[in-house]
């Protein structure tokens, strides 16, 4: 999956307008939509799109969008 495909899924899942510029370096805690519901959604993304189980420790280790994307590979 390409970076652009991952970003599209990320924006759709977290209800981030397409016009908002994000990068891999974007810090998750700076996003208004980064909350407990978003984290649950991320677990589903990993299961559905990556066929991976996202652990609590992995989830807590993410600080940037790139951290998430790297774990999706």
């Amino acid at each position: 999956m390409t970076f652009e495909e991952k970003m599209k899924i990320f924006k759709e899942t977290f209800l981030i307008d397409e016009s908002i510029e994000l990068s891999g370096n974007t810090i998750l805690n700076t996003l208004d939509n980064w909350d407990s519901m978003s984290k649950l959604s991320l677990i589903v993304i990993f299961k559905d799109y990556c066929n991976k189980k996202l652990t609590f420790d992995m989830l807590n280790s993410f600080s940037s969008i790139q951290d998430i994307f790297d774990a999706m590979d």
Side-chain angles (χ1 to χ4, degrees):
M1 187 178 317
T2 68
F3 180 87
E4 290 78 18
E5 291 169 328
K6 291 175 187 177
M7 186 62 77
K8 181 175 171 59
I9 293 167
F10 184 87
K11 285 184 170 185
E12 287 174 357
T13 302
F14 299 115
L15 305 174
I16 297 171
D17 190 273
E18 281 293 319
S19 65
I20 296 175
E21 286 293 320
L22 297 177
S23 73
N25 295 325
T26 301
I27 303 300
L28 296 169
N29 288 334
T30 64
L31 300 173
D32 291 337
N33 296 2
W34 184 247
D35 57 17
S36 58
M37 290 304 291
S38 297
K39 292 175 184 178
L40 289 174
S41 296
L42 193 58
I43 292 169
V44 174
I45 287 173
F46 269 73
K47 181 179 178 282
D48 291 348
Y49 291 96
C50 308
N51 200 27
K52 289 185 173 184
K53 182 178 180 180
L54 182 62
T55 66
F56 184 71
D57 289 337
M58 286 174 63
L59 185 60
N60 285 330
S61 73
F62 299 148
S63 62
S64 70
I65 291 175
Q66 190 63 52
D67 292 340
I68 295 170
F69 291 179
D70 288 346
M72 291 173 83
D73 292 329

